[in-house]
Structures are given as structure tokens and as C-alpha cells.
Amino acid sequence: MAFSLSHCLTFLISFTFFFSSSIFLSFTPQGTQARGLPISSLITKQLFDTIFLHKDDSACPAKNFYPYDSFIQASRCFPKFGTAGNLTTRRREIAAFLAQISHETTGGWPTAPDGPFAWGLCFKEEVSPQSDYCDSSNTEWPCYPGKSYKGRGPIQLSWNFNYGPAGKALGFDGLRNPEMVSNSSVIAFKTALWFWMTEQKPKPSCHNVMVGRYVPTKADIAANRTAGFGLVTNIINGGLECGIPSDGRVNDRVGYFQRYAKLFNVDTGPNLDCDYQKSY
Ligand SMILES: *[C@@H]1O[C@H](CO)[C@@H](O)[C@H](O)[C@H]1NC(C)=O
Ligand SMILES: *[C@@H]1O[C@H](CO)[C@@H](O)[C@H](O)[C@H]1NC(C)=O
Ligand SMILES: *[C@@H]1O[C@H](CO)[C@@H](O)[C@H](O)[C@H]1NC(C)=O
């Protein structure tokens, strides 16, 4: 834990500098004033609670597990999240992230109160895992006996090859203590942001796709992997969901994104689905 704390402190200090320099910049001519604004200015507690209207319902197993403050605290470890580009780009990236974690943890159903897309962050761990998600062929991140690498947290982090590097980056032993991800809401949000921000080749990072920094290779172009929310879905779960016209899971992700983009007052951008994309 000490390691985890010092890891975050490093970023906290640079965050503070970043923030204070933005106060200075706000007096300079237009164009620069948006830079350095913390994401809490783009997503207030009020907006967060409107987005996640039912996360604390007694019907939700994750009731009270995902407070706004934990999200903001976790985001300080990833100062590039929601701070790249102009305000439209920044709001769209945050909306896309929140939409993806909403699908991953959804408690919604077609006739749910306030609609199916008001039920994100309802679960903190996978309910009926089909396996322990141990890829034993992966020798870099070997599974610890008896541990389950099932989906946990906002992005439903799964598999030893994700728990290992996520824990390493965030300062805990993800292979020995995967339960950390559903025991601490700050760690839970950090694992989701880690996944969002980290490139895992040959995939780009979700962040780079949403902020316009993705450059497709020839193979990507041949596979229709062009930038947009659909490509982020491909990065997250394309092997199961992409290349299938009108897949219900893909449409659920899109539905969440459309609702959130509206609440953030931004357009969704092109390529919402991955119906005609090849997976990685
Ligand atoms: C924001 O940046 C994007 C990408 O650089 C650009 O296409 C868009 O026109 C910009 N929007 C505004 C409102 O400046
Ligand atoms: C997580 O919480 C469970 C239940 O309270 C506890 O048994 C376990 O030791 C905790 N694990 C970690 C890694 O903190
Ligand atoms: C790319 O998209 C087009 C339709 O827009 C489709 O006909 C084609 O099969 C797709 N290519 C791949 C590799 O999926």
C-alpha cells in the first residue's frame, strides 16, 4: 500500500502544478484557458450522479461502492485522462469511458425505471464466472494457485495477463490479491483507468482513440478499424462482440454513450459500432 500511495503522490504533485499553472493561463488569450482544468470541472458530482442515477439502489449489488470522490481521486493518477484536446474532445472521452464502464457493470433492462441506460455501476464483480480466467500459457503473469481473475471493478478487469500488469502499475500484487479490485473503490476505478490509458499491442489505447491520436496501420484499415467509439469496444471485447451486425452488447454500449454524450452536450463522433470491424 505504501508503494501505491507514493506512486499516486508523484502524480498528485504534478497535478497540483498543472492546476495552478492553469489558473495563470486562464488570464491569457483564448485557446489556452481550457488546458489544465481538472476533470472535476467537466464532470461535477451532480452530473456524475445524474449519469449513474441508480448505482446506489438497493437492487444494485455495488450499492454505495462507487462514489464520485473515488472516481476523482483515481483520476489524479492518470493526469492525461480527460485533459487532451479541446473541451469537446475532453468531454467526449469522459463520456465514452463512463459509457463503457456502464455497460460492463450494467444493471439495466429494457423497461427499467429511467430506461436501460440509467443503471451503470450496478455491479462490482462478475456474478457467475465461467472460469477463473487463467491463461496458463502466459508465463510473464503466472496465475497464483486458487485465485480467480474474474471480472472486477468498473471495467470488469479480467484475466491474469491484465491483473498482473494493472497491479504492477498501481502498486499492488494483482496476481496474489486480485480481490483488491473489488475491495477498494479507488483501486477499482484506477484499474479501469489503467486499462483505458494503457496501450496493449497490437491494440492502441482507448484514450488515444478517443482523443484523435490513433494512427491505423494498413492491417487496421483492411480490418475497418477506424477511430470512434466502436473501436474502443473492439479494444475492450472485440473478440466476442465485433464483426457481428447488431450485436446486443455493442448496442448497449452505444446506448449508454448516446445518453451520456447528450448529458455532456457533445456529439458522439463517427463509427459508433464495430459491426463490420475485425477483432484483434
Ligand atoms: C476540437 O478538436 C477537434 C479535433 O482536433 C476538432 O475537429 C474540432 O473542430 C474542435 N472543436 C472545437 C469546438 O473547437
Ligand atoms: C477483500 O475483502 C475480503 C472480504 O472482506 C477479505 O476476505 C479479503 O482478505 C480482502 N482481500 C484483500 C486483498 O484485501
Ligand atoms: C469492412 O466493411 C465493409 C462494409 O462497410 C464490409 O463489406 C467488409 O466486409 C468489412 N471488412 C472486414 C475485413 O470485415
Side-chain angles (χ1 to χ4, degrees):
M1 281 314 284
F3 175 69
S4 160
L5 192 63
S6 66
H7 172 85
C8 271
L9 271 178
T10 315
F11 286 105
L12 265 178
I13 291 161
S14 55
F15 176 81
T16 309
F17 278 129
F18 201 45
F19 184 42
S20 46
S21 71
S22 81
I23 292 168
F24 176 71
L25 282 176
S26 65
F27 295 101
T28 64
Q30 43 88 28
T32 49
Q33 74 269 41
R35 290 177 60 199
L37 279 177
I39 67 158
S40 55
S41 68
L42 300 186
I43 174 156
T44 60
K45 181 173 189 312
Q46 192 187 12
L47 178 55
F48 188 84
D49 290 342
T50 302
I51 283 173
F52 299 110
L53 210 49
H54 290 283
K55 70 181 172 61
D56 297 323
D57 265 42
S58 50
C60 282
K63 182 175 194 256
N64 298 334
F65 181 67
Y66 292 116
Y68 173 73
D69 289 346
S70 297
F71 168 61
I72 296 300
Q73 198 182 322
S75 75
R76 287 179 187 145
C77 290
F78 296 92
K80 292 191 171 130
F81 172 72
T83 59
N86 59 32
L87 285 172
T88 304
T89 302
R90 296 177 55 191
R91 290 193 173 106
R92 189 186 294 124
E93 182 195 7
I94 299 169
F97 171 79
L98 298 178
Q100 292 289 0
I101 65 173
S102 293
H103 169 76
E104 293 291 334
T105 57
T106 187
W109 67 100
T111 57
D114 302 302
F117 308 121
W119 289 79
L121 293 183
C122 188
F123 288 86
K124 58 178 180 173
E125 52 192 4
E126 195 175 342
V127 177
S128 313
Q130 300 299 300
S131 78
D132 283 340
Y133 295 95
C134 171
D135 175 4
S136 52
S137 73
N138 189 301
T139 49
E140 194 184 357
W141 307 104
C143 306
Y144 195 78
K147 291 295 176 180
S148 167
Y149 305 103
K150 66 177 179 179
R152 291 187 184 86
I155 200 84
Q156 292 287 281
L157 192 74
S158 325
W159 296 101
N160 50 315
F161 52 76
N162 282 314
Y163 273 87
K168 188 177 180 195
L170 301 172
F172 70 96
D173 189 338
L175 294 173
R176 249 176 216 259
N177 301 315
E179 305 87 2
M180 294 278 278
V181 179
S182 45
N183 279 15
S184 152
S185 60
V186 177
I187 291 178
F189 274 118
K190 282 184 190 171
T191 62
L193 287 162
W194 170 83
F195 185 91
W196 186 263
M197 302 302 293
T198 307
E199 177 184 69
Q200 291 178 298
K201 285 190 167 151
K203 304 174 178 181
S205 69
C206 302
H207 169 75
N208 278 347
V209 170
M210 288 311 299
V211 304
R213 295 220 184 100
Y214 163 65
V215 183
T217 63
K218 270 195 180 141
D220 289 320
I221 292 165
N224 291 335
R225 289 193 293 256
T226 41
F229 184 77
L231 184 56
V232 173
T233 298
N234 198 341
I235 293 167
I236 294 172
N237 206 22
L240 295 179
E241 300 180 24
C242 294
I244 311 166
S246 296
D247 185 85
R249 296 160 295 187
V250 172
N251 291 343
D252 191 67
R253 295 176 193 274
V254 171
Y256 270 112
F257 186 41
Q258 287 171 328
R259 174 170 178 257
Y260 297 175
K262 204 172 277 177
L263 289 169
F264 274 98
N265 200 21
V266 292
D267 62 284
T268 54
N271 302 317
L272 276 179
D273 62 55
C274 57
D275 291 8
Y276 295 98
Q277 292 183 18
K278 254 173 81 178
S279 62
Y280 289 93

